[in-house]
Amino acid sequence: GFASKSSLLPEQLFVMQMDEFMKRRYDFRFNQLTSQVECRERNSFNFYFHPVDKRLMASIAMNAHYEGLKLWDKDVVRYLNSDHVPVYQPIEEFLYDLPHWDGKDHIGDLAKRVPCNHPHWAQLFRRWFLSMIAHWRGMGKNHANSTSPILIGPQAYRKSTFCRLILPPCLQAYYTDSIDFSNKRDAELMLTRFALINIDEFDSVSSAYQSFLKNVLQKPVVNARQPYKRSIQALHRYASFIATCNNYDLLTDPTGSRRFICIEISGTIDNSTSINYEQLYAQAVAALKNGERYWFTSEEEFSTTRNNEVFQQLPVEEQLFLQYFRAARPGEESLELSAIEILQ
């Protein structure tokens, strides 16, 4: 009522109108795991968030023009890259909203779905599961969840399905069974992008990448440059590993196999029964809060290495050596030969 001219500058009025339009028509969030802005339209049947692409940005600009707001693509990009878009961390949000644990052993019930003759499978799976949750929460910043269970058995035993069912439906987007160890940069970035990585058909990993695989398993922090970024950053690692295999001679590293828990499956895994994911993960969070150990001791690693010997693949040189030589029995005299004499 004081004057006909607005006290706001045209730029201020435009930014306020753009902010009102964006919050009225859309829900935005910046996903820290994928480093992408996700969106869903308000007052519509699109209940799920989807990554923002060029087509969606063009649609946002067109809808603004329908309302008389001169909003261009560069304005949309500027808005999406600002702090007006809230940060979203899917793993932390899921763990934060969990209910209280009901006292039942849900982790043990999940391990019992895998039929096997390994006497310590339930205990080893519990330790690995707790380690996965602990590293999601950033409890072990100096170490990573470097142990990986390997489910070994014939086809149609539903091994891969069981691996996928470990994650709840809201985190299924952060599960993958496709990782290329030949592309080292992408393989390391997947440690920050996914929560669980399944190395399907473990024996297909070439022996040339075994050393890199061991390095990836034990890497606690990923120092890399993200796409469209200029500087190298220390990125939080979320991924834990699990693997499946159909063949029994799958371990090729002669230096040891303490990072793998080889489990021979004796029957089809029960994947038909529903899983109470909230109580499953609530039990893990409660155990970690009570100070339960989530890392493997040296005794457990030694026992695991001994159990993995039956799955060790003998090199051709060792097979040739064992064809002509054997260990001396009690009372026998052993031979003292050099490597050249053995070769001759």
Side-chain angles (χ1 to χ4, degrees):
F2 292 96
S4 59
K5 185 177 180 181
S6 174
S7 61
L8 297 175
L9 296 174
E11 293 80 4
Q12 292 176 300
L13 183 61
F14 172 75
V15 171
M16 294 174 64
Q17 290 175 336
M18 177 178 63
D19 190 53
E20 186 275 335
F21 167 78
M22 290 292 196
K23 293 179 178 178
R24 174 169 48 85
R25 294 288 299 269
Y26 304 97
D27 271 337
F28 294 104
R29 68 186 187 186
F30 177 75
N31 193 322
Q32 283 190 322
L33 256 68
T34 61
S35 298
Q36 287 183 314
V37 177
E38 300 174 344
C39 171
R40 69 179 177 187
E41 193 171 356
R42 290 179 180 267
N43 303 321
S44 70
F45 293 102
N46 297 322
F47 303 111
Y48 300 101
F49 283 87
H50 300 282
V52 176
D53 53 11
K54 292 183 179 180
R55 181 181 178 87
L56 181 57
M57 286 193 293
S59 300
I60 294 174
M62 290 292 294
N63 292 334
H65 284 203
Y66 275 122
E67 296 191 12
L69 181 63
K70 294 183 179 180
L71 186 68
W72 303 103
D73 294 352
K74 62 179 181 180
D75 301 316
V76 178
V77 173
R78 184 182 299 112
Y79 182 88
L80 297 180
N81 291 332
S82 69
D83 58 0
H84 285 250
V85 176
V87 174
Y88 170 67
Q89 222 302 334
I91 295 179
E92 294 180 2
E93 183 169 314
F94 170 73
L95 296 178
Y96 181 78
D97 293 335
L98 291 174
H100 291 288
W101 177 40
D102 59 6
K104 298 180 181 179
D105 187 12
H106 298 276
I107 301 177
D109 293 340
L110 182 61
K112 292 177 182 177
R113 291 172 178 248
V114 180
C116 64
N117 297 323
H118 198 294
H120 307 295
W121 160 241
Q123 178 183 355
L124 294 174
F125 179 81
R126 178 186 180 90
R127 199 76 65 208
W128 172 82
F129 192 83
L130 292 180
S131 182
M132 179 177 68
I133 308 302
H135 287 91
W136 284 359
R137 302 178 63 190
M139 296 177 62
K141 295 183 179 180
N142 296 328
H143 303 87
N145 187 9
S146 59
T147 305
S148 172
I150 303 179
L151 306 181
I152 306 169
Q155 294 184 4
Y157 270 19
R158 301 175 183 175
K159 303 183 296 294
S160 299
T161 305
F162 174 80
C163 297
R164 182 180 295 274
L165 290 178
I166 293 177
L167 292 185
C170 61
L171 297 180
Q172 282 294 318
Y174 312 104
Y175 168 89
T176 183
D177 54 7
S178 177
I179 180 171
D180 184 12
F181 291 104
S182 63
N183 192 332
K184 295 186 177 181
R185 180 177 180 274
D186 288 349
E188 290 184 349
L189 287 177
M190 291 179 73
L191 299 178
T192 66
R193 165 67 175 82
F194 294 97
L196 180 61
I197 299 176
N198 175 19
I199 309 176
D200 210 10
E201 304 299 336
F202 183 84
D203 56 340
S204 64
V205 180
S206 173
S207 57
Y209 301 119
Q210 288 294 327
S211 58
F212 177 68
L213 172 60
K214 291 166 57 177
N215 181 45
V216 168
L217 287 175
Q218 64 185 10
K219 183 182 288 292
V221 179
V222 179
N223 296 309
R225 181 177 61 85
Q226 292 180 299
Y228 310 108
K229 298 292 182 66
R230 295 184 178 181
S231 61
I232 297 177
Q233 297 175 315
L235 306 175
H236 178 72
R237 169 191 168 155
Y238 292 96
S240 293
F241 284 86
I242 193 170
T244 63
C245 189
N246 298 332
N247 300 320
Y248 292 86
D249 52 343
L250 68 157
L251 300 177
T252 59
D253 189 358
T255 61
S257 57
R258 64 182 181 87
R259 295 178 178 86
F260 304 109
I261 306 173
C262 296
I263 302 298
E264 182 179 356
I265 302 176
S266 57
T268 304
I269 300 177
D270 177 22
N271 296 323
S272 58
T273 309
S274 61
I275 302 174
N276 190 340
Y277 287 104
E278 290 187 344
Q279 287 298 325
L280 173 67
Y281 284 86
Q283 178 187 359
V285 172
L288 294 173
K289 287 183 178 180
N290 293 331
E292 183 172 342
R293 177 170 54 87
Y294 60 87
W295 59 90
F296 292 89
T297 62
S298 57
E299 292 79 9
E300 291 174 334
E301 292 179 347
F302 178 76
S303 177
T304 300
T305 303
R306 292 292 301 271
N307 292 327
N308 291 343
E309 290 179 354
V310 296
F311 304 100
Q312 188 75 35
Q313 184 182 112
L314 293 179
V316 177
E317 297 84 359
E318 188 173 352
Q319 297 181 30
L320 180 63
F321 174 81
L322 294 178
Q323 185 176 356
Y324 296 97
F325 294 90
R326 61 171 173 82
R329 298 189 180 97
E332 290 183 335
E333 183 178 354
S334 61
L335 297 175
E336 296 182 0
L337 302 176
S338 64
I340 298 299
E341 292 173 328
I342 292 176
L343 179 61
Q344 291 175 349

